[in-house]
PDB file of all heavy atoms in Angstrom:
ATOM      1  N   GLY M  81       7.626 -21.795  -1.041  1.00 90.00           N
ATOM      2  CA  GLY M  81       6.758 -21.802  -2.316  1.00 90.00           C
ATOM      3  C   GLY M  81       6.275 -20.331  -2.487  1.00 90.00           C
ATOM      4  O   GLY M  81       6.061 -19.575  -1.492  1.00 90.00           O
ATOM      5  N   VAL M  82       5.769 -20.160  -3.608  1.00 92.00           N
ATOM      6  CA  VAL M  82       5.141 -18.838  -3.997  1.00 92.00           C
ATOM      7  C   VAL M  82       3.726 -19.167  -4.607  1.00 92.00           C
ATOM      8  O   VAL M  82       3.473 -20.232  -5.365  1.00 92.00           O
ATOM      9  CB  VAL M  82       5.892 -18.124  -5.098  1.00 92.00           C
ATOM     10  CG1 VAL M  82       5.176 -16.889  -5.555  1.00 92.00           C
ATOM     11  CG2 VAL M  82       7.323 -17.781  -4.636  1.00 92.00           C
ATOM     12  N   GLU M  83       2.708 -18.399  -4.047  1.00 92.00           N
ATOM     13  CA  GLU M  83       1.400 -18.576  -4.475  1.00 92.00           C
ATOM     14  C   GLU M  83       0.811 -17.208  -4.983  1.00 92.00           C
ATOM     15  O   GLU M  83       1.016 -16.255  -4.227  1.00 92.00           O
ATOM     16  CB  GLU M  83       0.643 -19.112  -3.220  1.00 92.00           C
ATOM     17  CG  GLU M  83      -0.932 -19.401  -3.419  1.00 92.00           C
ATOM     18  CD  GLU M  83      -1.617 -19.717  -2.263  1.00 92.00           C
ATOM     19  OE1 GLU M  83      -1.044 -19.935  -1.200  1.00 92.00           O
ATOM     20  OE2 GLU M  83      -2.760 -20.205  -2.350  1.00 92.00           O
ATOM     21  N   GLU M  84       0.050 -17.255  -5.996  1.00 94.00           N
ATOM     22  CA  GLU M  84      -0.634 -16.057  -6.509  1.00 94.00           C
ATOM     23  C   GLU M  84      -2.054 -15.957  -5.862  1.00 94.00           C
ATOM     24  O   GLU M  84      -2.797 -16.956  -6.016  1.00 94.00           O
ATOM     25  CB  GLU M  84      -0.704 -15.898  -8.092  1.00 94.00           C
ATOM     26  CG  GLU M  84      -1.272 -14.566  -8.465  1.00 94.00           C
ATOM     27  CD  GLU M  84      -1.207 -14.387  -9.956  1.00 94.00           C
ATOM     28  OE1 GLU M  84      -0.527 -15.207 -10.616  1.00 94.00           O
ATOM     29  OE2 GLU M  84      -2.003 -13.539 -10.427  1.00 94.00           O
ATOM     30  N   ILE M  85      -2.422 -14.920  -5.155  1.00 92.00           N
ATOM     31  CA  ILE M  85      -3.747 -14.830  -4.581  1.00 92.00           C
ATOM     32  C   ILE M  85      -4.368 -13.491  -5.064  1.00 92.00           C
ATOM     33  O   ILE M  85      -3.796 -12.502  -5.091  1.00 92.00           O
ATOM     34  CB  ILE M  85      -3.646 -14.813  -3.062  1.00 92.00           C
ATOM     35  CG1 ILE M  85      -2.858 -16.005  -2.544  1.00 92.00           C
ATOM     36  CG2 ILE M  85      -4.982 -14.634  -2.404  1.00 92.00           C
ATOM     37  CD1 ILE M  85      -2.415 -15.909  -1.103  1.00 92.00           C
ATOM     38  N   VAL M  86      -5.627 -13.584  -5.429  1.00 92.00           N
ATOM     39  CA  VAL M  86      -6.362 -12.378  -5.930  1.00 92.00           C
ATOM     40  C   VAL M  86      -7.374 -12.033  -4.867  1.00 92.00           C
ATOM     41  O   VAL M  86      -8.210 -12.843  -4.501  1.00 92.00           O
ATOM     42  CB  VAL M  86      -6.907 -12.632  -7.246  1.00 92.00           C
ATOM     43  CG1 VAL M  86      -7.805 -11.408  -7.685  1.00 92.00           C
ATOM     44  CG2 VAL M  86      -5.996 -13.029  -8.320  1.00 92.00           C
ATOM     45  N   ARG M  87      -7.371 -10.873  -4.409  1.00 90.00           N
ATOM     46  CA  ARG M  87      -8.357 -10.308  -3.435  1.00 90.00           C
ATOM     47  C   ARG M  87      -8.774  -8.931  -3.999  1.00 90.00           C
ATOM     48  O   ARG M  87      -7.888  -8.097  -4.184  1.00 90.00           O
ATOM     49  CB  ARG M  87      -7.869 -10.203  -2.021  1.00 90.00           C
ATOM     50  CG  ARG M  87      -7.472 -11.496  -1.446  1.00 90.00           C
ATOM     51  CD  ARG M  87      -8.894 -12.150  -0.963  1.00 90.00           C
ATOM     52  NE  ARG M  87      -8.775 -13.653  -0.811  1.00 90.00           N
ATOM     53  CZ  ARG M  87      -8.192 -14.255   0.068  1.00 90.00           C
ATOM     54  NH1 ARG M  87      -7.589 -13.671   1.085  1.00 90.00           N
ATOM     55  NH2 ARG M  87      -8.111 -15.572  -0.014  1.00 90.00           N
ATOM     56  N   SER M  88     -10.113  -8.662  -3.908  1.00 86.00           N
ATOM     57  CA  SER M  88     -10.613  -7.342  -4.350  1.00 86.00           C
ATOM     58  C   SER M  88     -10.086  -6.927  -5.656  1.00 86.00           C
ATOM     59  O   SER M  88      -9.920  -5.719  -5.943  1.00 86.00           O
ATOM     60  CB  SER M  88     -10.346  -6.293  -3.299  1.00 86.00           C
ATOM     61  OG  SER M  88     -10.809  -6.590  -1.960  1.00 86.00           O
ATOM     62  N   GLY M  89      -9.945  -7.931  -6.661  1.00 89.00           N
ATOM     63  CA  GLY M  89      -9.494  -7.699  -7.742  1.00 89.00           C
ATOM     64  C   GLY M  89      -8.039  -7.226  -7.970  1.00 89.00           C
ATOM     65  O   GLY M  89      -7.477  -6.941  -9.057  1.00 89.00           O
ATOM     66  N   ILE M  90      -7.230  -7.449  -6.965  1.00 91.00           N
ATOM     67  CA  ILE M  90      -5.714  -7.194  -6.936  1.00 91.00           C
ATOM     68  C   ILE M  90      -5.015  -8.380  -6.635  1.00 91.00           C
ATOM     69  O   ILE M  90      -5.269  -9.203  -5.847  1.00 91.00           O
ATOM     70  CB  ILE M  90      -5.468  -6.221  -5.679  1.00 91.00           C
ATOM     71  CG1 ILE M  90      -6.359  -5.057  -5.882  1.00 91.00           C
ATOM     72  CG2 ILE M  90      -4.117  -5.816  -5.699  1.00 91.00           C
ATOM     73  CD1 ILE M  90      -6.504  -4.149  -4.558  1.00 91.00           C
ATOM     74  N   SER M  91      -4.041  -8.632  -7.542  1.00 93.00           N
ATOM     75  CA  SER M  91      -3.192  -9.861  -7.430  1.00 93.00           C
ATOM     76  C   SER M  91      -1.952  -9.618  -6.556  1.00 93.00           C
ATOM     77  O   SER M  91      -1.196  -8.788  -6.672  1.00 93.00           O
ATOM     78  CB  SER M  91      -2.774 -10.209  -8.903  1.00 93.00           C
ATOM     79  OG  SER M  91      -1.947 -11.398  -8.871  1.00 93.00           O
ATOM     80  N   PHE M  92      -1.882 -10.505  -5.529  1.00 95.00           N
ATOM     81  CA  PHE M  92      -0.695 -10.633  -4.679  1.00 95.00           C
ATOM     82  C   PHE M  92       0.063 -11.829  -4.796  1.00 95.00           C
ATOM     83  O   PHE M  92      -0.494 -12.861  -5.159  1.00 95.00           O
ATOM     84  CB  PHE M  92      -1.158 -10.481  -3.301  1.00 95.00           C
ATOM     85  CG  PHE M  92      -1.910  -9.275  -2.923  1.00 95.00           C
ATOM     86  CD1 PHE M  92      -3.279  -9.103  -3.011  1.00 95.00           C
ATOM     87  CD2 PHE M  92      -1.175  -8.104  -2.337  1.00 95.00           C
ATOM     88  CE1 PHE M  92      -3.870  -7.941  -2.768  1.00 95.00           C
ATOM     89  CE2 PHE M  92      -1.774  -6.984  -2.032  1.00 95.00           C
ATOM     90  CZ  PHE M  92      -3.067  -6.860  -2.187  1.00 95.00           C
ATOM     91  N   ASN M  93       1.392 -11.770  -4.547  1.00 94.00           N
ATOM     92  CA  ASN M  93       2.242 -12.895  -4.546  1.00 94.00           C
ATOM     93  C   ASN M  93       2.645 -13.232  -3.089  1.00 94.00           C
ATOM     94  O   ASN M  93       3.215 -12.271  -2.505  1.00 94.00           O
ATOM     95  CB  ASN M  93       3.543 -12.682  -5.379  1.00 94.00           C
ATOM     96  CG  ASN M  93       3.163 -12.587  -6.895  1.00 94.00           C
ATOM     97  OD1 ASN M  93       2.152 -13.165  -7.308  1.00 94.00           O
ATOM     98  ND2 ASN M  93       3.923 -11.986  -7.617  1.00 94.00           N
ATOM     99  N   ALA M  94       2.213 -14.446  -2.584  1.00 94.00           N
ATOM    100  CA  ALA M  94       2.618 -14.746  -1.168  1.00 94.00           C
ATOM    101  C   ALA M  94       3.779 -15.829  -1.348  1.00 94.00           C
ATOM    102  O   ALA M  94       3.541 -16.957  -1.796  1.00 94.00           O
ATOM    103  CB  ALA M  94       1.358 -15.380  -0.545  1.00 94.00           C
ATOM    104  N   THR M  95       4.922 -15.453  -0.750  1.00 94.00           N
ATOM    105  CA  THR M  95       6.036 -16.468  -0.716  1.00 94.00           C
ATOM    106  C   THR M  95       6.123 -16.912   0.839  1.00 94.00           C
ATOM    107  O   THR M  95       6.349 -16.051   1.740  1.00 94.00           O
ATOM    108  CB  THR M  95       7.338 -15.580  -1.019  1.00 94.00           C
ATOM    109  OG1 THR M  95       7.248 -15.040  -2.296  1.00 94.00           O
ATOM    110  CG2 THR M  95       8.460 -16.629  -0.936  1.00 94.00           C
ATOM    111  N   THR M  96       5.970 -18.208   0.991  1.00 93.00           N
ATOM    112  CA  THR M  96       5.905 -18.798   2.309  1.00 93.00           C
ATOM    113  C   THR M  96       7.271 -19.721   2.464  1.00 93.00           C
ATOM    114  O   THR M  96       7.479 -20.568   1.566  1.00 93.00           O
ATOM    115  CB  THR M  96       4.648 -19.678   2.502  1.00 93.00           C
ATOM    116  OG1 THR M  96       3.558 -18.908   2.236  1.00 93.00           O
ATOM    117  CG2 THR M  96       4.606 -20.207   3.837  1.00 93.00           C
ATOM    118  N   THR M  97       7.944 -19.464   3.517  1.00 92.00           N
ATOM    119  CA  THR M  97       9.132 -20.248   3.786  1.00 92.00           C
ATOM    120  C   THR M  97       8.926 -20.780   5.181  1.00 92.00           C
ATOM    121  O   THR M  97       8.755 -20.055   6.109  1.00 92.00           O
ATOM    122  CB  THR M  97      10.399 -19.372   3.644  1.00 92.00           C
ATOM    123  OG1 THR M  97      10.252 -18.786   2.389  1.00 92.00           O
ATOM    124  CG2 THR M  97      11.619 -20.302   3.781  1.00 92.00           C
ATOM    125  N   VAL M  98       9.254 -22.194   5.337  1.00 91.00           N
ATOM    126  CA  VAL M  98       9.169 -22.786   6.688  1.00 91.00           C
ATOM    127  C   VAL M  98      10.564 -23.511   6.936  1.00 91.00           C
ATOM    128  O   VAL M  98      11.012 -24.195   6.139  1.00 91.00           O
ATOM    129  CB  VAL M  98       8.090 -23.775   6.855  1.00 91.00           C
ATOM    130  CG1 VAL M  98       8.166 -24.414   8.292  1.00 91.00           C
ATOM    131  CG2 VAL M  98       6.693 -23.141   6.646  1.00 91.00           C
TER     132      VAL M  98
END
Side-chain angles (χ1 to χ4, degrees):
V82 179
E83 179 183 5
E84 184 177 344
I85 304 168
V86 177
R87 290 288 156 75
S88 301
I90 304 164
S91 179
F92 292 90
N93 293 332
T95 305
T96 305
T97 307
V98 177

